[in-house]
């Protein structure tokens, strides 16, 4: 009994102590409420002050293009959520200052006191985290882990998909650090690796810190590969750095990457990774190398751990791809047997199938299919370095080209280096000067004809898109075939092609009178032969891109007596020899980006010259004798920043001139009455009856007379800059020959009259201008009608004291009824697009693109629901682009759905939590781009809305 009693006593004592401790703890929490509330107010003030500091830092960082760290964005959101918890408590403190309520409220006081203590702990955590010792932004220059590379999908091809899965498995397998993909030229090695790269971009778990792509090509140029790797790493190299120093820089940078993948595409021989500057995978465990090659031996020489051989497509896959390219006509009853046989003749090679299929597209006559089959079945000689299976369909596709000079234009493209993106404008210049485009056509028609030829070749899959919208390129296999055809079949097009192969010198023995065209472009040539070259039939000589070349010997050009095209752009020449004047047939002299070129000989003797390009040279005055170039059609003096003077009377004598560009030069056109030192005035341009495209600069906004406006209105396209300084058209849409663009920069618009400009321009750009408010008011008050021509309006970094007050004088009708594009950049006063749209009476009946960036005070995109419903035409790919709008909370004040949206881009708009989209948008939406963190934080009325739109989301 005594034992039991003792046990019970101990239990009671223990329970009592525990109960007492619990009660005391609750009493302490309850009693501490008053002091905790005082601490809460003090600590919360510290936190909100810190939040303001961080917010200010992030806004400054975003203005200069830096990316905010993800943890900083999360911290700011956590502070905002905590503020929502604190607000009711602080309001209660204000409403009920007697915090020592009666004992009956003890339970309620305990809960409140406990919540305050929890909040104080969260404040302490946030203050500790909010120090951000590593800064609020990511280090500048940090590249994205994976960059998307455009290319066709292989998901529908079972054979290629199996190889894709095999390669992807090897990438994730730690046993394999060097992976080789090999197979015939044109079998799809590059396409497979592009698919692999893009798959890694969308992977939920990123296996590599960075994926680097470098194209190697047949003629190995280590320096070029190093530059590609450095650019991907955002590593700045100096042009004077030798390969060894560059390799050292690359090695040190790559060592810092925990895991990286280097893709070397189109490798033809062993590459020494040490010379390249890439850590050996055996030394750097996080390094993986993936290479593509036509030969297994190359993979083995690179010490690959596993080799993946790409096989040709089976008959079913080949037929599927061929019929896709040829179209429905391939399934017609009488044609299908021929189509299937033609597909088999392509031997399962994707490149051949695509090219031949494109050539037969929409051909409905059986005779054409029968003829094509017989041509493909005919025996062909073996071609050195190119597989017969590829050669036959490509040669046949070339033979099938229809139209004047299209074959010659195709062969001309092979003069450019392998994997080189050719500028469309440059190609057209060369074709025109060579006579491949009718010389009787004017500049605009010539450009259009050139574009049509290029599109024809692209439709035939003999050309493909280049690195930008204004360039094209040749597949390396197609280029090899084109060079072979020119040498073997086309006597009038026999070419010497030594472009982009790293040559440091050339000799007179390289040339022959049989060559029609000669290309040594983009090498490292330091000198040219100082002798008369035997190349009397050559009509084209391309030497551009040899940046080490400083002189052209006097005798060198004397042997090129039939020359029509001479391109020395991108060299370091300071002058040209007098022997240039002996080239009586010369049509095009292209000296673009000869940054050291200071003078030219008198050009008056080149009476047949049609194209003179002096862009970005160091000339101080235009060459003597220019006024005698009676056949000159294109004159480009843009970016000649030392050109101060164009003598009066010279421009007006160039009676055939169709294209003139003097923008970004030091020279400024003046209006009549403002003449100075016998300089050319705008009045001279009125005498150029053939002028079609004009790009010029004025120091201020001119007052155009009626005859001046008549001169401008008869142009097919123009670009007129007005203002003292131009940093470059970084935000302007691509210029075409039909654009009529006015760019005003750095002027006080309240002191200028720009009413005339609204009427003549299709594109109006206002950048870095002040007085926008007064200008808009005057424009609205003085307008007597609408301006139907304006299609695009861009306002950038233009300031106003109070933009919202413009709405006090709204127009009675839409002043810009045909506006299609609206671009707004870095407008500090803008809170809504409506601030601009309302005074101008804009109804946006034809609007197809809205782009808003860096407007840090914008809270609403559009501020009224009725206004939104006047936007029926949002139907192009780039529909709505929003970037760097930290205050943007909603796209409009009223909750509603925009059923017409097809694409939305939202970048660094962290407070935007809702999109005007529902399930019904699935039928129209094509793509939603934004940060993954932003997408995950979006709020939806229904969960199924997000799941239905998820397939259209693309993280960026």
């Amino acid at each position: 009994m005594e034992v039991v009693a003792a046990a019970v006593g101990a239990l009671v004592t223990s329970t009592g102590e525990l109960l007492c401790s619990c009660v005391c703890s609750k009493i302490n929490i309850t009693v501490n409420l008053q002091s905790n509330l005082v601490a809460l107010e003090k600590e919360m003030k510290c936190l909100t002050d810190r939040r303001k500091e961080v917010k200010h830092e992030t806004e400054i960082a975003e203005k200069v293009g830096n990316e905010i760290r993800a943890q900083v964005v999360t911290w700011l959101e956590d502070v905002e959520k905590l503020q929502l918890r604190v607000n009711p408590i602080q309001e209660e403190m204000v409403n009920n200052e007697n915090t020592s309520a009666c004992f009956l409220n003890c339970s309620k006081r305990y809960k409140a006191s406990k919540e305050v203590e929890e909040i104080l702990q969260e404040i302490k955590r946030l203050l500790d985290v909010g120090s951000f010792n590593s800064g609020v932004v990511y280090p500048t220059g940090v590249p994205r882990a994976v960059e998307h590379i455009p290319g066709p999908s292989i998901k529908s091809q079972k054979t290629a998909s199996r190889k894709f899965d095999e390669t992807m498995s090897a990438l994730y397998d730690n046993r394999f650090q060097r992976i080789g993909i090999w197979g015939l030229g044109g079998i799809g090695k590059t396409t497979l690796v592009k698919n692999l790269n893009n798959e890694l971009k969308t992977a939920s778990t990123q296996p590599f810190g960075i994926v680097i792509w470098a194209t190697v090509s047949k003629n190995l140029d280590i320096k070029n590969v190093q530059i590609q790797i450095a650019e991907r790493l955002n590593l700045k190299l100096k042009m004077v750095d030798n390969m060894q120093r560059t390799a050292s820089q690359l090695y040190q940078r790559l060592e810092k990457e925990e895991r990286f993948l280097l893709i070397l595409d189109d490798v033809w021989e062993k590459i020494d990774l040490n010379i390249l500057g890439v850590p050996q995978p055996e030394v750097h465990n996080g390094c993986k190398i993936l290479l593509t090659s036509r030969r297994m031996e190359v993979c083995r020489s690179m010490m690959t751990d596993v080799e993946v051989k790409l096989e040709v497509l089976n008959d079913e896959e080949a037929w599927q791809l061929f019929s896709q390219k040829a179209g429905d006509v391939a399934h017609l009853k009488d044609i299908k047997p021929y189509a299937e046989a033609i597909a088999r003749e392509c031997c399962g090679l994707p490149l051949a199938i695509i090219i031949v299929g494109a050539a037969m597209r929409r051909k409905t006559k059986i005779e054409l299919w029968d003829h094509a089959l017989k041509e493909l079945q005919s025996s062909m000689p073996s071609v050195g370095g190119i597989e017969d299976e590829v050669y036959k369909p490509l040669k046949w596709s070339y033979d099938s080209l229809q139209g004047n000079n299209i074959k010659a234009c195709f062969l001309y493209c092979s003069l450019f280096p392998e994997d080189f993106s050719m500028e469309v404008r440059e190609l057209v210049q060369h074709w025109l000067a060579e006579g491949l485009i009718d010389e009787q056509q004017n500049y605009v028609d010539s450009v259009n004809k050139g574009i049509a030829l290029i599109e024809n070749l692209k439709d035939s899959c003999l050309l493909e898109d280049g690195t930008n919208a204004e360039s094209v390129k040749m597949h390396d296999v197609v280029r090899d075939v084109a060079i072979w055809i020119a040498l073997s079949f086309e006597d009038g097009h026999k070419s010497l092609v030594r472009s982009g192969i790293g040559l440091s010198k050339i000799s007179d023995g390289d040339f022959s009178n049989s060559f029609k065209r000669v290309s040594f472009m983009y090498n490292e040539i330091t000198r040219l032969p100082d002798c008369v070259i035997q190349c009397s039939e050559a009509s084209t000589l391309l030497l551009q891109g040899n940046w080490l070349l400083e002189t052209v010997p006097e005798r060198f050009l004397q042997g090129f007596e039939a020359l029509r095209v001479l391109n020395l752009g991108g060299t370091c020449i300071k002058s040209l020899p007098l022997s240039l004047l002996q080239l009586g047939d010369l049509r095009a002299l292209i000296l673009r980006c000869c940054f050291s070129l200071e003078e030219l000989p008198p050009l008056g003797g080149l009476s047949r010259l049609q194209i003179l390009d002096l862009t970005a040279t160091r000339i101080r005055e235009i060459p003597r004798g220019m006024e005698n170039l009676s056949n000159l059609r294109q004159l480009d003096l843009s970016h000649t920043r030392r050109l101060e003077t164009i003598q009066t009377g010279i421009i007006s004598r160039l009676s055939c001139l169709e294209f003139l560009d003097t923008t970004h030069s030091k020279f400024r056109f003046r209006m009549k009455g403002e003449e100075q030192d016998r300089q050319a005035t705008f009045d001279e341009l009125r005498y150029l009856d053939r002028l079609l495209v004009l790009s010029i600069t004025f120091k201020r906004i001119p007052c155009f007379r009626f005859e001046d406006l008549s001169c401008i209105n008869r142009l097919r396209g123009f670009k007129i800059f007005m203002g003292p300084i131009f940093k470059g058209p970084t935000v302007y849409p691509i210029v075409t020959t039909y654009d009529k663009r006015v760019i005003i920069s750095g002027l006080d618009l309240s002191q200028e009259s720009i009413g005339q400009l609204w009427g003549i321009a299709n594109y109006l750009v206002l950048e870095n201008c002040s007085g926008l408010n007064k200008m808009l008011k005057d424009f609205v008050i003085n307008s007597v009608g609408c301006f139907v021509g304006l299609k695009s309006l861009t306002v950038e970094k233009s300031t106003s004291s109070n933009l919202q007050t413009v709405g006090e004088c709204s127009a009675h009708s839409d002043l810009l009824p045909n506006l299609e594009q609206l671009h707004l950049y870095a407008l500090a006063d803008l809170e809504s697009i409506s601030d601009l749209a309302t005074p101008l009476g804009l109804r946006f009946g034809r609007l197809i693109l809205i782009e808003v960036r860096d407007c840090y005070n914008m809270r609403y995109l559009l501020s009224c629901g009725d206004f939104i419903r006047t936007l029926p035409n949002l139907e192009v790919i780039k529909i709505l682009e929003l970037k760097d709008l930290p205050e943007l909370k909603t796209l409009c004040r009223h909750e509603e759905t925009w059923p017409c949206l097809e694409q939305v881009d939202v970048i660094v708009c962290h407070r935007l939590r809702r999109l005007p989209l529902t399930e019904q948008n699935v039928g129209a939406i094509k793509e939603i781009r934004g940060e993954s963190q932003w997408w995950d934080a979006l709020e939806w009325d229904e969960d199924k809305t997000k799941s239905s739109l998820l397939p259209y989301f693309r993280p960026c």
Side-chain angles (χ1 to χ4, degrees), residues 107-324:
S107 174
K108 183 178 179 182
R109 283 167 50 78
Y110 167 74
K111 290 180 180 178
S113 187
K114 187 171 180 62
E115 183 179 8
V116 171
E117 283 202 349
E118 291 174 356
I119 290 173
L120 283 170
Q121 292 176 3
E122 177 65 2
I123 291 175
K124 183 178 183 304
R125 183 188 73 82
L126 289 171
L127 284 171
D128 290 339
V129 174
S131 59
F132 299 123
N133 295 327
S134 300
V136 300
V137 299
Y138 289 111
T140 57
V142 175
R144 295 176 180 174
V146 188
E147 288 187 340
H148 178 83
I149 301 175
S153 173
I154 58 172
K155 289 182 179 179
S156 62
Q157 301 173 15
K158 293 181 181 179
T159 302
S161 293
R162 284 198 305 271
K163 298 299 180 179
F164 174 89
D165 294 338
E166 185 179 342
T167 308
M168 186 65 79
S169 297
L171 273 181
Y172 280 90
D173 193 325
N174 291 330
R175 296 176 299 167
F176 307 131
Q177 291 182 296
R178 302 172 188 241
I179 303 165
I181 300 176
W182 68 285
L184 292 170
I187 204 168
K189 300 182 293 296
T190 300
T191 300
L192 184 143
V193 178
K194 283 182 178 179
N195 276 255
L196 185 145
N197 175 88
N198 296 339
E199 182 70 18
L200 288 174
K201 187 178 189 303
T202 59
S204 56
T205 303
Q206 184 52 252
F208 301 103
I210 187 169
V211 177
I212 304 165
W213 180 295
T215 302
V216 180
S217 301
K218 189 172 184 177
N219 299 292
L220 177 60
D221 182 348
I222 290 291
K223 184 70 175 179
N224 179 265
V225 179
Q226 288 177 326
I227 290 171
Q228 293 180 65
I229 297 173
E231 287 177 348
R232 180 68 179 91
L233 294 168
N234 287 347
L235 185 65
K236 293 183 179 179
L237 301 176
K238 295 181 179 178
M239 291 294 287
V240 295
D241 286 348
N242 57 34
M243 284 195 299
Q244 185 175 352
R245 175 170 170 76
T246 300
S248 177
Q249 289 178 278
L250 290 176
Y251 193 96
Q252 292 174 23
R253 172 66 177 83
L254 289 170
E255 265 190 323
K256 297 175 183 178
E257 290 291 340
E258 185 176 348
R259 291 181 61 81
F260 70 89
L261 170 64
L262 173 61
I263 299 173
L264 297 172
D265 185 39
D266 197 18
V267 180
W268 287 74
E269 58 185 276
K270 180 182 177 181
I271 300 175
D272 190 325
L273 296 181
N274 292 323
I275 295 176
L276 188 60
V278 176
Q280 299 281 350
E282 296 78 18
V283 177
H284 189 312
N285 293 329
C287 163
K288 286 207 174 191
I289 308 292
L290 188 152
L291 64 97
T292 71
S293 180
R294 296 190 190 182
R295 300 197 301 273
M296 174 68 159
E297 297 79 30
V298 174
C299 295
R300 288 174 176 164
S301 71
M302 293 289 292
M303 305 294 290
T304 50
D305 301 311
V306 60
E307 297 82 31
V308 179
K309 181 184 179 183
L310 291 198
E311 307 287 353
V312 297
L313 303 180
N314 60 38
D315 287 349
E316 180 183 349
E317 292 171 328
W319 168 245
Q320 183 181 10
L321 182 59
F322 180 85
S323 58
Q324 175 189 339

Side-chain angles (χ1 to χ4, degrees), residues 77 910 912-913 932-940 946:
E77 291 172 349
H910 301 304
L912 183 62
R913 287 288 180 262
S932 297
Q933 186 178 7
W934 166 78
W935 171 260
D936 293 338
L938 281 176
E939 300 170 359
W940 306 91
K946 182 175 182 179

Side-chain angles (χ1 to χ4, degrees), residues 779-797:
F779 176 59
V780 171
I781 293 171
N782 297 323
S783 295
V784 293
C786 62
F787 300 92
V788 296
L790 197 68
K791 295 181 179 179
S792 175
L793 176 62
T794 300
V795 186
E796 179 188 11
K797 295 180 182 177

